[in-house]
């Protein structure tokens, strides 16, 4: 489940549009949980023992229902109400309320540093293109806004580094680095409202 948390943080901080509030349900969260379990089980099965590639289709509603009803303890403190959206053609976007005070206070800020002027908990939206091939993913940020104001990639990188840092990786995720897909996932195909995970 830690893999999901990492991917979630990366996607919504690296992925605006206005978000209609989706109708989320525990039943849809249950469906995604079952699919996540299947993905993990397939990931532990040697590929050579399978007859063909396996695909699992997940919907935006399932993912977001899981985030709301099951993943609260997997999302870093300071990030609330995350919503992910598959736009199609590899485009993904995300929205969350982010505690900017925690990031701002971690170091001394100069008057030219945009993070020095952001306080409180504000909505962050981001959009970008996810490409995956042969078990490796890459994300290219296209746009990001805080409270409707466009912010530079450097600020998104700082937020991403702060909220994805762990004891094993204190620098967190670098937005430009390719990343290995977990559970023997070979490819993720993003279409409007759904993503197809191929193992």
């Amino acid at each position: 489940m830690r893999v999901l948390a990492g991917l979630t943080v990366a996607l919504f901080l690296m992925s605006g549009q206005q978000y209609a509030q989706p109708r989320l349900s525990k039943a849809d969260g249950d469906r995604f949980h079952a699919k996540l379990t299947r993905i993990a089980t397939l990931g532990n099965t040697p590929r050579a023992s399978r007859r063909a590639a396996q695909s699992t289709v997940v919907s935006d509603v399932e993912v977001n229902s899981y985030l709301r009803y099951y993943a609260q303890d997997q999302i870093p403190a300071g990030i609330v109400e995350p919503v992910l959206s598959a736009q199609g053609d590899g485009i993904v976007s995300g929205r969350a309320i982010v505690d900017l005070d925690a990031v701002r206070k971690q170091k001394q800020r100069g008057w030219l540093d945009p993070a020095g002027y952001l306080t409180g908990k504000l909505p962050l939206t981001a959009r970008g293109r996810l490409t995956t091939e042969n078990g490796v993913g890459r994300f290219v940020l296209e746009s990001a806004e805080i409270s409707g104001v466009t912010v530079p990639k450097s600020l998104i990188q700082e937020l991403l580094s702060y909220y994805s840092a762990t004891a094993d990786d204190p620098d967190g995720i670098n937005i430009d680095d390719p990343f290995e897909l977990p559970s023997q996932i070979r490819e993720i195909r993003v279409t409007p409202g759904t993503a197809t995970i191929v193992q």
Side-chain angles (χ1 to χ4, degrees):
M1 300 302 176
R2 174 162 160 57
V3 168
L4 173 68
L7 285 175
T8 299
V9 170
L11 285 174
F12 82 71
L13 285 177
M14 297 189 304
S15 49
Q17 65 170 23
Q18 293 299 313
Y19 283 77
Q21 183 64 28
R23 184 172 292 159
L24 306 181
S25 70
K26 190 170 184 301
D28 284 313
D30 290 340
R31 271 190 282 285
F32 183 77
H33 186 268
K35 291 178 181 182
L36 191 61
T37 300
R38 177 179 186 269
I39 289 166
T41 300
L42 283 171
N44 291 324
T45 304
R47 190 174 282 112
S49 68
R50 296 190 231 143
R51 289 186 227 156
Q54 301 289 312
S55 296
T56 305
V57 178
V58 299
S59 71
D60 287 352
V61 171
E62 290 169 341
V63 171
N64 291 316
S65 294
Y66 180 85
L67 292 174
R68 173 174 289 180
Y69 292 101
Y70 288 99
Q72 294 302 315
D73 61 339
Q74 300 170 42
I75 304 300
I79 296 176
V80 295
E81 300 177 18
V83 177
L84 300 175
S85 178
Q87 303 294 302
D89 194 28
I91 300 296
V92 294
S93 58
R95 180 187 189 280
I97 306 299
V98 179
D99 183 352
L100 300 168
D101 287 331
V103 179
R104 180 176 50 84
K105 293 175 181 176
Q106 71 176 332
K107 67 179 185 179
Q108 192 71 25
R109 303 284 178 179
W111 65 277
L112 291 177
D113 186 341
Y117 299 96
L118 298 172
T119 61
K121 297 176 181 177
L122 299 175
L124 164 67
T125 59
R127 172 187 168 100
R129 184 177 301 277
L130 174 69
T131 59
T132 58
E133 186 177 14
N134 297 324
V136 176
R138 290 178 174 80
F139 188 88
V140 176
L141 181 70
E142 293 187 348
S143 64
E145 299 178 350
I146 293 178
S147 290
V149 177
T150 300
V151 294
K153 178 181 173 182
S154 60
L155 178 57
I156 298 303
Q157 177 60 65
E158 185 171 356
L159 291 168
L160 182 60
S161 296
Y162 179 82
Y163 281 111
S164 64
T166 63
D168 293 334
D169 185 9
D171 293 330
I173 295 170
N174 184 317
I175 198 169
D176 293 320
D177 285 349
F179 52 92
E180 184 177 344
L181 299 172
S183 299
Q184 296 190 60
I185 296 171
R186 306 304 298 160
E187 180 184 6
I188 301 173
R189 301 170 188 152
V190 179
T191 53
T194 64
T196 301
I197 296 162
V198 182
Q199 294 172 278

